[in-house]
Amino acid sequence: MDELAEKLGLDPVELRRRNEPEVNPQDGRPFSARNLVACMDEGARRFGWDKRPEAPGSRREGEWLIGYGMAAASRANMLMKAAAEVTLTPEGRATVKTAMTDIGTGSYTILAQITGEMLGLPIDKVDVTLGDSLLPPSSGSGGSWGANSSGSAVYVACEGVIAEIANRLGTTPAEMSMKDGDVIVGNRRVPLAEAIGADPISITGEIEPGETKKRFHQAGYGAHFCEVAVNCHTGETRVRRLLTVAAAGRILNEKTATSQCYGGQIWGIGTALTEELQIDPRSGLIVNHDLAGYHVPSNADVPKLEVVLLPEHDASPARSRRRASANWRWPVSARRSPTRSTRLRRAGARLSGHARPDHRRPAGQAVSLPVRGVRHARTSRIPSATDQPRSVPVRSWITSARGSTSRAASSRSWRGEKGLPTIPADAKPAGRFSRP
């Protein structure tokens, strides 16, 4: 997109604005909500995008070349089948039970918040029980679907509790409200204990994808803006500023949602600058399968991060409450394991030129990526056919060859001296690891 914008002489934000679709181009469904342009405009205003250096390499601070970059972001709304049980006692205490998990993303907090808001209770009057397979089944944590799936199940259960209270009072849910432990019907305020009676109310709510998913394309959208400095002598790359502006319907908890955005920003820095999966072309084995060789960002690699969550109302039926903050794990760039040339190009190599390294280099040849004639300090080398065979732990082979060789067969076929497999020089990699 950046290269196209430069070719056309357009601002990258303007290029995206001109091509903003009215409906989802893939299937023609209308968007339930799409505020990408608003995110780009707000991000550009906050970041000072109008002051960006338009030509690559045109801004310099000593030996550092300075460039600005932006990217659009999206995350599909993935609703999974989930169930939750909500019990409300005459004493005004609610209990939520679901087989959901909390891996540190705040499931306990948001489920208690939803229940408290729905039933008019302070959060300290809500107990949440998770992580037991005997409880109503839930989606689990993963894929950014936990909050919207389990949260929606709790919402539905609370609707059932409200409907039962209305039934016991001889009214309808539309004619009553719940606040501060009381039920309000018209001009009458009834204590919760009196409204419920002697028997607690226990309702199990369930939710699964339905008509809304079929009729609308549902996703959250956002925009990233960054300032990058590249040393013209060494190729060292530093991210100076990183701003994310996003819109995702109603945010259940701004603190936890912002924290997840921070995680996505750091993940993107690692994707662009430090992370690279090295695979031995002779065997298909992953060479850097530990944190000693696979580098993730450290504190020194991450600048001060800024996240802005725009208010958004989703007009599709019930969808705003069925999406949540867990949808904000976006990498700044699109690929998780880019080649080094891709990383440098994204991070700022294009600030000073557009030379592209030749990926089809001869085996055994050391390479260095150009930044307008300056050789990058870090080099890589592809093993040649004359390299000596090496030994790797059995576990590494089994892990990397999964799907093509069974565990038992791997252990037997590749076991060498001292329990380590020796990979011969003429060994062929598994098909899915073959290079194009």
Side-chain angles (χ1 to χ4, degrees), residues 81-289:
K81 185 176 181 179
E85 178 188 287
V86 175
T87 301
L88 183 61
T89 67
E91 294 75 29
R93 192 162 201 91
T95 301
V96 180
K97 296 181 179 180
T98 177
M100 179 60 179
T101 54
D102 191 331
I103 58 174
T105 48
S107 300
Y108 283 102
T109 301
I110 61 171
L111 297 184
Q113 283 183 270
I114 293 171
T115 305
E117 181 176 325
M118 290 290 292
L119 302 181
L121 299 174
I123 199 167
D124 60 354
K125 294 290 186 180
V126 180
D127 301 314
V128 179
T129 303
L130 306 178
D132 192 327
S133 59
L134 295 177
L135 301 177
S138 189
S139 61
S141 297
S144 298
W145 59 55
N148 55 336
S149 301
S150 59
S152 295
V154 170
Y155 187 99
V156 172
C158 289
E159 286 183 322
V161 171
I162 293 171
E164 178 59 24
I165 294 175
N167 181 61
R168 295 185 183 187
L169 292 177
T171 185
T172 64
E175 296 174 332
M176 59 169 271
S177 61
M178 301 179 68
K179 183 180 179 181
D180 299 330
D182 292 333
V183 179
I184 303 171
V185 182
N187 59 357
R188 187 164 59 106
R189 196 179 188 105
V190 181
L192 196 57
E194 180 182 334
I196 295 177
D199 300 324
I201 298 175
S202 185
I203 301 292
T204 297
E206 297 182 357
I207 191 167
E208 60 184 340
E211 288 299 316
T212 300
K213 181 178 181 180
K214 296 177 182 178
R215 293 170 51 197
F216 295 93
H217 178 79
Q218 302 178 353
Y221 296 91
H224 302 291
F225 293 83
C226 70
E227 178 182 326
V228 175
V230 178
N231 190 290
C232 64
H233 298 302
T234 66
E236 178 185 354
T237 304
R238 289 292 178 186
V239 180
R240 291 185 166 187
R241 291 190 291 153
L242 183 53
L243 164 68
T244 293
V245 180
R250 179 178 177 181
I251 302 301
L252 298 178
N253 187 298
E254 186 172 355
K255 179 178 288 187
T256 57
T258 300
S259 181
Q260 291 214 341
C261 287
Y262 289 152
Q265 290 174 314
I266 296 169
W267 177 12
I269 292 173
T271 302
L273 296 179
T274 67
E275 300 180 45
E276 181 179 15
L277 202 60
Q278 300 278 2
I279 297 177
D280 190 330
R282 303 167 304 167
S283 62
L285 293 180
I286 297 174
V287 179
N288 58 335
H289 48 72

Side-chain angles (χ1 to χ4, degrees), residues 11 36 61 148 151 162 174 229 240 247 254 256 274 299 302 304 306 325 331 341 367 407 410 415:
D11 183 318
L36 175 58
E61 296 179 6
N148 55 336
I162 293 171
R240 291 185 166 187
E254 186 172 355
T256 57
T274 67
N299 289 351
V302 180
K304 182 179 180 180
E306 184 179 2
S325 61
S341 60
V367 297
R407 182 181 297 271
S410 297
R415 188 175 298 280

Side-chain angles (χ1 to χ4, degrees), residues 336-378:
R336 298 190 183 186
S337 301
T339 61
R340 183 167 292 128
S341 60
T342 306
R343 291 203 313 270
L344 275 179
R345 177 163 54 83
R346 288 196 188 123
R350 63 183 302 277
L351 294 174
S352 55
H354 303 285
R356 295 288 184 266
D358 185 2
H359 291 283
R360 300 189 178 186
R361 56 188 180 269
Q365 176 182 334
V367 297
S368 183
L369 303 180
V371 183
R372 191 180 287 277
V374 179
R375 292 176 63 84
H376 187 52
R378 297 175 61 184

